Each structure stands twice: as structure tokens, then as C-alpha cells.
Amino acid sequence: MIEIRLHGRGGQGAVTASRIIAAAAFEDGLYSQAIPMYGTERRGAPLTAYVRIDNVRVRERELVHTPDYSICFDEFISMNQTIANSMKPGGIVLANSKFKPEELPLAGDIKIACVDATGIAIKHLGRPITNTAILGAFCKLCPEVSLKGVEKAIYKYFPGRVGDMNVAAARASYEQVTDLITAKNKEPPKQVEEIVSGGYGALKDVSGWRVFEPVIDEEKCIGCKTCWIYCPEAALEWTANNKPAMISRACKGCGVCANECPVKAIEMVRVQVKK
Amino acid sequence: MVDYEVMVGNKACAVACKLARVNVAAAFPITPQTSITEYLSELYASGEMPGFEFVNCEGELPAQVIVNNAALVGARAFTCTAGPGLQYMHHPMASTAGGRCPLVMAVVHRGIKSMQPDHSDLMSQQWTGWIHLYVENAQEILDTIIMGYKIGEDARVRLPVAVGYDGYVLSYTAEPVEIPPQEMVDKFLPPYKPPRSLIYDDPEASIGRGGGFRSGDPNYAWMMHNEGALNAEEVIKEVFAEWAKLTGRKYGTGMVEEYKTEGADVVITAMGTVAGSAAAAIDKLWKDGKKVGLVKIRSFLPFPRADFQRIAKNVQAIGVFDRSLQPGMGGPSYREIKNTLYDSNVHPVVAGFVGGLSGKEVTVKNFVDLGEKTLEYAKAKKADAHPIWV
């Protein structure tokens, strides 16, 4: 039996991806099971999903605790040791990252491959929904799941033109995935920074949820406060010189401010993940 | 033609409604049941279900009243809910059963104290007099919803059927499901023909449509209701045997499903989705030479008394796992099994485990431990006090 764990955020399509993998494996003549795990699900909040693939009907219905594969849909979470923890010996981690696999700070008896799924998704879908943009890469690493099966399954979930776009993303990631490398550091660090899954509010930090963040052009800004009124998270503060400023820990990068600005003084710019 | 699709539990439930040619569905959305109402709305909008009415209600109580009355006038009716929604439905549920209105309700388990699943929601409805079935996987949901109509509509039973399955870990879990052909289901489940009067055509029994009395002996409606509930056991067995013949999918006797109980020293019991993990644990235990069998309780009401009296003859101990607890009274299936064995001349050790409450995960490892503990109890001829927490 193959067990897969998926890490992502609400809105990246990790749950749909788990179902596409299950459907693809079934297309390839295997039994499968896809379990999503969410609490109060919402866009941006970290979540996990699980898939089992076997040649007999899968009966166990616990979450996957020691996966063979760990797939991460989010650039920030890809930098977190959590995705490489409690894997089976020699397990494979597929991370969404622009970096080379040896540049990721992941340790353990694991192998790592990377693909810039966010880049592929923005190119092919026009938005950072990274699920199909990582599944192609996964097919290359997992011999049990074929790209053909995944393409068939994608069309089941997204018929027509949307399906074409997603299949193109899957094919691109199949081509672009890096080679597998063995993690240099066999011993994982004792203390792992937890992925913040808590909600928003005064004390919570959601800065890791952003794929894009607002950059304000103070020259263009007329100080009308429209952005400040519309921000759903009260993540804009008003400065002394009558201009808005982003509160980094509170902004989820939804883009409402940029959309509402009457003079287009706010631009959403892709966040650069630091090593 | 037999069709396959990888689908989530809630979709399997909606597909079953379509195959059973349900006429009226009324429901109020509540997590984790919501997507059933979404799939049903889609089926309604696409026109795939001719003669189907879907009522989006303002709450669970009116939903139950609508399906109750729909069944009363001869429609095949369906509703679905979860946790607190089921509790809000409590009041009209008793008159659905009392009025002998056969319909099927999917109860997507959500604990009465949390969003996450345990069996406390459906367990709290025992007194409403419905038939309670518990299922393990998406295929079983589809099969059991269809069979539920055949069981409930049988003249010997005439009772509503609740099909319980765990929220999240089954309702949202995708897995391959075999969709039986419509012609086969039509043959198995002919259109519902209500009796001239749903209430027994007995002039002596002047019973109101909710099962209350108007004149004559007030006990009479309860006597008839009790008879129907007891008859359900033989009907369940017949219907499951017929379905097994048609589809090749056999769920034990319909009342219980045994797994590797032959030659076992002890057995453990489980209900619903956790039975899957329990089965995986049984494989591991046998591999280690530990002879532990599994009895999956499929029908809680009526309780499989005859099956447990038979099983008890061959084992030294029964480890009962309950995913619900009545504080101060214990786990429901533990109590029923002890109650059942009082009437038999064999008395194996019965150990009552409780776990998985408010969505706590129940793992394969938990069931391996549970099986080993039950073996120890068999050796010691004595179990720890109930409840033994998992």
C-alpha cells in the first residue's frame, strides 16, 4: 500500500488534488481512498489531506501517519520541516518551490524534489491554484500513478476549457520537476516551527498565507480610504501623512484593496519566499 | 451496465436516492451533511430525476414534517441531517415512526458536543422507534440507502430507516463506488405502494396519524410499533440476502458482518467506519498468531440478539467498542450485548471499550491494542470496569 500526505492551504486545491490522485489510481486499475482533514476550512488556512493506493480495497480509515510521499502545495510550507516529518524511511517529499531541492531546509531519511508549481499555475491558470500544477510532477515520481490517469481524472473534475488549462499545467510540471536528491541532513531538528493554523484576529499572524501582497503607490494614492474601509481583515492602518500601510501579520493577500482602489494605486505583487 | 466512479460518501448517498427513484426530499444543510443537499439540488436542476421534488427547508424540524407527510400520502421520501440537526428533528421523528411512515434518512454522524463525528447523535434517537443501520464505506452507503427503502416499506415493518455514517472521514472521503444499473434497482425496489391506510386497517385501533390513540386501548399503537421493529430483523436478513445475490456484495447477515471469527478465541465489535480500521487490525493480529475476530454491528435497532447469542458460544471474550457514551450508563452496544447474553446459557467475558468521542481518531493501532487486551481478559476471565477508555 502507498500512503500519501498532502500539505496545502485552503484555496490551493489540495483536497481536489487528493481526489484526482484517487481517481487517477482507479483509472490505472488500483483501489484508492482520499481523506481530507479540515477544521473550520477557509481560504488560506493550512490543511492536510491523505491518499491511500492499494491493489485491494482499502479498509482502514485512519489518517495517514507514516506516508511514503509528502506533497506540499504551498511555497512557505515547503520551507517547513513539518512536511518531511514522520515519513517512512526513504520517503519522497515533493515541494512547491522555486529553489533547488538541496536548498530546502528539510532533514531526515528522505528524498526531495522540487517544482515551481506557483509559477506554472500563474502561467497556465492565471491564478495560484497549485493543485494540478504539482500533480504532473507527482506522476513522474510515483510509478503507480500515470500522467494519462491524472489527465483523465482532471477532465472528470474540470470538464472543457478549464480542464485543458489544468492538463497543460500538469504536463508542464511533469516536464519541469527536478531530479530527486537525498537529504543531506539525516537528523531532523529537535524543534520544528509549527505551521500556524490558527485564525486571524489581533494576536494571530497570517503573513504566511499570502501569495501576493499589496504594494501601495503613495504618489497615485488620493487618500480616499476606500481600501481601508473594504479590507476584510482590518490589515491596513492609516499613517500620519494620510496614506494606507499594510499590517504585515494581518494581511492574507486577498487583493480586495487593490480591486476597490478607484485610482489603481495598489498593485498585488508576488511574495518572494526567502531561503 | 455496472458503472464505477470515485466519489465521496455524500455523493454515494445522493446517487442512491436517484437509483431508488425518491419522489420527495426535504432537508436543511448542516456540516458534514451539506454536500448531500448540494448533490440532490444538482440532480433536481439537471432533470435527471423525473418526478422528484426537493424542498430546501428553513430547519430540520420542518424537513422531517415534510418527509413524514410525503410518505404518508404515498411518496418515497428522503431526508438527511447530522448531529444537532438530528436533535432539532427529534420531535417529529417520533410521529414519523409512530405513523408508520417508511422513509430513509441519512444521518451523517457529527457528535452532539462537537463538529467532529461520534455516534452520539443517532444513539440519542433510540426512543423515536426508527430502524438504525450503521455503515462503513461509501459503497455500503449506496447499497444500504436502497435496501433501506425495501426494508422500511415491507408490510411486516412499515417503519422509517436511519442510515448512520461518520462525517468527514466517510462523508468527504473519496473512494471507488460501483453504481448498480437502474433496471436492476427498479426490479429490486418496485415503486412504493402505500397501504390503503398506513395505520393498520383495524377498526379496533383508532390510531391518529402520528401513532397516538384516539379511542380504544392506548397501548395498541405501541404494540403494533414494537411488532414492526421486531419483524425488521428477519426482513433485513431477507433483503440483504437478495441484494447479495444481485450484486455479489454481501454484508454478513445484514444484522452483523463477521470477519475472521472462525477459529477465533475472542472477538471484538465495532460499528460504522471504525470497523474498517478494526478489520485491518484483525489482519495484523492473526499475522502475529493472535486469534481475534471482528463482528461489525450493522443494525443497532433491531439489535442482532440471535447473532450475538450464536457468536458467544464460540468465544471466551467479547471486546465491545462503542463510539458513543451515555454518561453514567455506559456504551450502548456494550449494554445491549450484556443484556442479550443474560438470556443465553453461555457467558463469555464482555469488556466495554469507549473511544473516538467528539471525533477523536481511532487508529488501527488502537484496535490492535484492544484485541490484545481482550485476549488478556479472556485469560484472566475478568475484564476491567466499563468504560475502558481508548
Side-chain angles (χ1 to χ4, degrees):
Chain A
M1 187 196 296
I2 301 165
E3 295 183 299
I4 307 160
R5 186 174 65 201
L6 296 87
H7 298 269
R9 292 184 188 278
Q12 289 171 341
V15 172
T16 307
S18 71
R19 289 173 186 165
I20 289 174
I21 295 174
F26 188 68
E27 288 287 341
D28 291 343
L30 295 163
Y31 280 102
S32 55
Q33 174 194 60
I35 308 178
M37 180 68 209
Y38 22 16
T40 32
E41 56 274 31
R42 59 201 182 276
R43 189 166 288 263
L47 59 81
T48 47
Y50 309 91
V51 182
R52 287 194 175 86
I53 300 172
D54 206 347
N55 41 20
V56 292
R57 187 176 272 278
V58 181
R59 270 198 94 173
E60 42 268 84
R61 205 169 287 268
E62 56 178 3
L63 306 181
V64 169
H65 298 287
T66 51
D68 300 271
Y69 294 89
S70 170
I71 310 176
C72 184
F73 294 74
D74 184 80
E75 287 183 284
F76 282 95
I77 299 177
S78 287
M79 307 303 280
N80 191 303
Q81 176 65 27
T82 313
I83 66 165
N85 278 353
S86 69
M87 305 268 307
K88 286 207 184 86
I92 291 174
V93 175
L94 172 60
N96 169 15
S97 181
K98 283 195 286 192
F99 304 136
K100 290 184 188 128
E102 51 270 29
E103 292 174 318
L104 295 185
L106 304 175
D109 184 3
I110 51 164
K111 292 190 187 103
I112 311 167
C114 290
V115 66
D116 177 19
T118 308
I120 294 171
I122 289 172
K123 188 177 164 207
H124 289 275
L125 311 173
R127 54 191 69 184
I129 302 175
T130 50
N131 57 357
T132 46
I134 209 161
L135 285 180
F138 175 70
C139 301
K140 201 155 192 181
L141 303 175
C142 178
E144 282 79 6
V145 179
S146 69
L147 186 61
K148 229 178 169 183
V150 164
E151 286 176 5
K152 260 192 193 167
I154 287 175
Y155 279 119
K156 274 202 173 150
Y157 281 86
F158 311 106
R161 195 180 65 89
V162 182
D164 294 340
M165 285 152 68
N166 279 286
V167 164
R171 284 185 186 158
S173 88
Y174 186 85
E175 295 302 324
Q176 289 174 30
V177 65
T178 65
D179 290 334
L180 272 174
I181 61 134
T182 307
K184 269 191 206 118
N185 206 343
K186 287 267 180 250
E187 277 302 307
K190 282 209 178 84
Q191 280 216 321
V192 179
E193 194 194 336
E194 258 187 57
I195 302 171
V196 183
S197 59
Y200 12 95
L203 299 171
K204 300 282 187 183
D205 186 346
V206 293
S207 54
W209 294 20
R210 297 196 291 270
V211 178
F212 297 97
E213 63 186 7
V215 174
I216 297 149
D217 184 346
E218 295 206 354
E219 293 285 298
K220 272 195 199 166
C221 175
I222 52 169
C224 68
K225 286 199 178 176
T226 304
C227 56
W228 181 80
I229 290 164
Y230 276 93
C231 176
E233 296 300 328
L236 289 169
E237 58 186 350
W238 213 249
T239 60
N241 55 350
N242 203 28
K243 302 283 174 194
M246 179 185 70
I247 305 169
S248 177
R249 58 164 179 78
C251 176
K252 297 192 295 180
C254 66
V256 168
C257 54
N259 198 44
E260 294 297 335
C261 178
V263 293
K264 300 291 159 219
I266 302 177
E267 197 189 348
M268 296 303 287
V269 177
R270 192 169 160 194
V271 179
Q272 296 302 320
V273 178
K274 292 182 191 78
K275 277 180 212 169
Chain B
M1 201 194 91
V2 176
D3 200 9
Y4 290 90
E5 191 183 322
V6 175
M7 60 169 94
V8 298
N10 280 351
K11 188 169 183 188
C13 179
V15 170
C17 290
K18 182 186 162 197
L19 289 169
R21 295 195 188 274
V22 167
N23 305 116
V24 175
F28 183 80
I30 175 172
T31 299
Q33 157 265 32
T34 308
S35 52
I36 305 178
T37 62
E38 290 170 358
Y39 290 122
L40 284 175
S41 306
E42 275 172 22
L43 284 170
Y44 175 79
S46 70
E48 280 174 69
M49 287 173 75
F52 171 60
E53 279 300 330
F54 180 67
V55 189
N56 255 319
C57 303
E58 69 270 36
E60 285 84 355
L61 191 146
Q64 182 62 239
V65 173
I66 288 167
V67 290
N68 176 337
N69 286 288
L72 204 60
V73 296
R76 186 166 278 157
F78 174 82
T79 185
C80 47
T81 188
L86 185 67
Q87 292 183 305
Y88 183 40
M89 210 183 250
H90 179 72
H91 163 204
M93 272 177 73
S95 70
T96 307
R100 310 302 293 278
C101 303
L103 55 91
V104 172
M105 169 163 69
V107 177
V108 189
H109 296 306
R110 154 173 172 164
I112 55 176
K113 291 191 193 177
S114 79
M115 287 263 299
Q116 298 291 329
D118 62 32
H119 297 165
S120 55
D121 53 357
L122 189 49
M123 281 298 174
S124 72
Q125 302 303 322
Q126 287 172 36
W127 280 59
T128 53
W130 288 46
I131 306 296
H132 291 189
L133 306 177
Y134 287 77
V135 301
E136 179 195 325
N137 55 43
Q139 184 73 60
E140 210 173 327
I141 296 173
L142 186 142
D143 292 347
T144 308
I145 298 272
I146 295 169
M147 283 187 276
Y149 284 105
K150 184 129 178 165
I151 294 162
E153 289 167 7
D154 193 289
R156 290 165 288 178
V157 180
R158 288 188 193 174
L159 283 174
V161 176
V163 178
Y165 62 89
D166 284 350
Y168 307 92
V169 79
L170 178 51
S171 70
Y172 297 156
T173 291
E175 52 193 16
V177 174
E178 187 182 316
I179 306 166
Q182 183 70 56
E183 310 80 63
M184 197 204 85
V185 178
D186 285 344
K187 240 179 160 179
F188 172 78
L189 186 68
Y192 175 44
K193 278 203 199 96
R196 191 173 61 78
S197 159
L198 269 168
I199 300 138
Y200 283 90
D201 305 329
D202 185 342
E204 290 291 309
S206 181
I207 299 168
R209 60 183 194 147
F213 78 102
R214 284 190 180 133
S215 62
D217 185 353
N219 282 346
Y220 191 81
W222 284 97
M223 282 160 57
M224 293 291 114
H225 191 159
N226 188 49
E227 201 176 278
L230 289 173
N231 287 345
E233 176 160 354
E234 83 176 278
V235 176
I236 288 172
K237 285 182 174 170
E238 282 174 23
V239 169
F240 274 80
E242 192 186 338
W243 187 255
K245 226 186 247 169
L246 283 173
T247 63
R249 286 191 293 280
K250 198 165 184 293
Y251 298 105
T253 63
M255 298 293 287
V256 295
E257 189 180 343
E258 293 174 51
Y259 184 64
K260 297 195 178 171
T261 50
E262 225 179 284
D265 295 329
V266 302
V267 291
I268 59 174
T269 77
M271 296 167 75
T273 50
V274 292
S277 296
I282 296 295
D283 289 341
K284 280 194 178 147
L285 285 161
W286 276 86
K287 236 182 220 166
D288 295 343
K290 288 166 186 156
K291 296 176 180 168
V292 183
L294 169 70
V295 181
K296 178 168 111 187
I297 302 172
R298 292 199 76 267
S299 167
F300 182 77
L301 210 161
F303 198 77
R305 298 218 160 80
D307 287 290
F308 271 103
Q309 287 176 354
R310 170 177 54 78
I311 291 160
K313 283 181 190 155
N314 307 318
V315 295
Q316 298 153 27
I318 303 177
V320 183
F321 179 78
D322 271 303
R323 202 175 187 179
S324 57
L325 175 80
Q326 195 179 358
M329 294 285 272
S333 63
Y334 168 73
R335 277 154 56 195
E336 279 318 309
I337 288 170
K338 275 205 144 174
N339 178 356
T340 299
L341 296 184
Y342 189 85
D343 291 338
S344 84
N345 50 5
V346 282
H347 298 105
V349 177
V350 181
F353 299 86
V354 171
L357 303 185
S358 293
K360 186 178 175 184
E361 193 189 5
V362 189
T363 61
V364 175
K365 170 86 171 48
N366 286 146
F367 277 108
V368 171
D369 294 347
L370 203 146
E372 284 171 352
K373 255 193 173 168
T374 307
L375 281 169
E376 281 170 32
Y377 294 144
K379 231 183 201 173
K381 299 201 163 124
K382 193 179 177 316
D384 291 331
H386 176 70
I388 306 159
W389 292 96
V390 173

